[in-house]
Every structure is written in structure tokens, then in C-alpha cells.
Amino acid sequence: LVPLMEVLEAPAGMYRIVNSVGIGAERDVYSVYLNYTGALGKIKTVALDPASKTSVELARLVLEKFHRLTPRYVSPDEPADVQLLIGDPAIIHRQAHPEQNYLDLGEAWREQTRLPFVFAVWALRLPLWQSIWTARQLRQAARVGLANVNHIARNAFERVYLTEHLCYDLGEPQR
């Protein structure tokens, strides 16, 4: 599983992307967002989570292109008006603080582009003959995982998150 920015910045031909499977969002993703207080238009600093270059670049794009802001970006340990939160820490924070302001980056992307966003893809660095077999296995694993989501999810929230907030199909809209 490779972040989309890694694939886009890699030398041509370094990766073979597995068709039909990835991790994306067709609506709000819930686990990748900007947390802020006050008016979004008045922000000056943004603390970026280095855990995902793809999410960092999406945050920059949403703020700079969609909202026409020019904040200063700082590390997550510095004080900031806005904080980029990703993954499990983002979910935990959002559930603990539903009253705060959140700019969901999957939703912001969808509203502006009318397209789903892809966060990561399965990408291989194998010879073609091995890639074909491995890609087939990964697609099969995705089908099995989705068919068993009720057994994988530990609770109702996880079931909704895995089936409604995330998407795993890399179809034409995602490409």
C-alpha cells in the first residue's frame, strides 16, 4: 500500500499500480481533516501531520486553491490555528470533540472537483510476470475483506467508516 504522492513523485516505471483497488473517499472521509477554531478565512498557521504526504498536499491544495489562503505551515508540535489530523488519532479526536470545527478534506475535494479522492494505491515493484499474479491476489483479498466487513468491524461506527466513508474501488472516476 503506497501513498498516492509517493507514486506520483516516483520515477516513471518504478511502480506498477494494481488496477481496481486502492483507498479513497467518494464523500467525507472522516479521518483526514483540518481541525480549527474561529473563522477558517482568518487562519495564519497550520500544523501538518507528517504521517501522510498525500494528506499534507491535499490540505495545502484545499487551503490555497479552494479557499485562496496562504497560511504558514509548521510542524505538529508548534502552536497553530489549524491542525491536520489523520487516521486513528483523527477519529479519536473527532469523536471526543464533536463540537469543534472540522474541514473534512475528502468532502472538500469532492465539493470542488465532483471527483472521488484517492489516498493510496497498491503499487508493485516486481517483474511483470510476478506483478500479474500478485495483483490478482490483492484484488481477491480486497473482495474477501469487503465481503467480511461485518466480521472485521468491531462496532457499528467501524462498519459505517469502512463501508461508507472509505472506498476501495479504483474505477474510471478515481483514475
Side-chain angles (χ1 to χ4, degrees), residues 26 110 114-118 169-175:
E26 294 184 358
R110 179 67 174 202
R114 301 290 178 233
L115 294 169
F117 189 82
V118 177
D169 180 39
L170 273 187
E172 191 57 37
Q174 288 78 8
R175 282 193 286 279

Side-chain angles (χ1 to χ4, degrees), residues 68-79:
R68 307 243 186 264
L69 301 173
T70 55
R72 185 171 59 88
Y73 298 100
V74 299
S75 66
D77 56 340
E78 294 182 54

Side-chain angles (χ1 to χ4, degrees), residues 42-155:
K42 295 185 185 244
I43 67 162
K44 301 284 184 233
T45 54
V46 179
L48 297 176
D49 183 335
S52 169
K53 192 171 185 178
T54 301
S55 297
V56 165
E57 291 305 315
L58 178 57
R60 288 178 191 266
L61 184 129
V62 166
L63 291 173
E64 295 172 15
K65 302 292 184 197
F66 300 165
H67 291 278
R68 307 243 186 264
L69 301 173
T70 55
R72 185 171 59 88
Y73 298 100
V74 299
S75 66
D77 56 340
E78 294 182 54
D81 303 321
V82 177
Q83 183 178 19
L84 172 62
L85 294 169
I86 301 166
D88 289 345
I91 292 171
I92 292 166
H93 179 88
R94 197 164 180 171
Q95 289 177 335
H97 303 283
E99 76 286 355
Q100 293 183 351
N101 295 324
Y102 300 100
L103 177 59
D104 187 287
L105 296 180
E107 184 176 34
W109 174 263
R110 179 67 174 202
E111 286 176 358
Q112 289 294 317
T113 67
R114 301 290 178 233
L115 294 169
F117 189 82
V118 177
F119 290 95
V121 295
W122 271 266
L124 307 172
R125 294 174 61 180
L126 299 169
L128 181 59
W129 67 272
Q130 286 178 311
S131 293
I132 293 169
W133 182 85
T134 304
R136 189 176 305 128
Q137 297 302 310
L138 287 168
R139 285 190 291 272
Q140 177 60 25
R143 283 190 292 276
V144 169
L146 287 171
N148 288 288
V149 74
N150 289 330
H151 300 293
I152 294 168
R154 293 175 291 193
N155 54 49

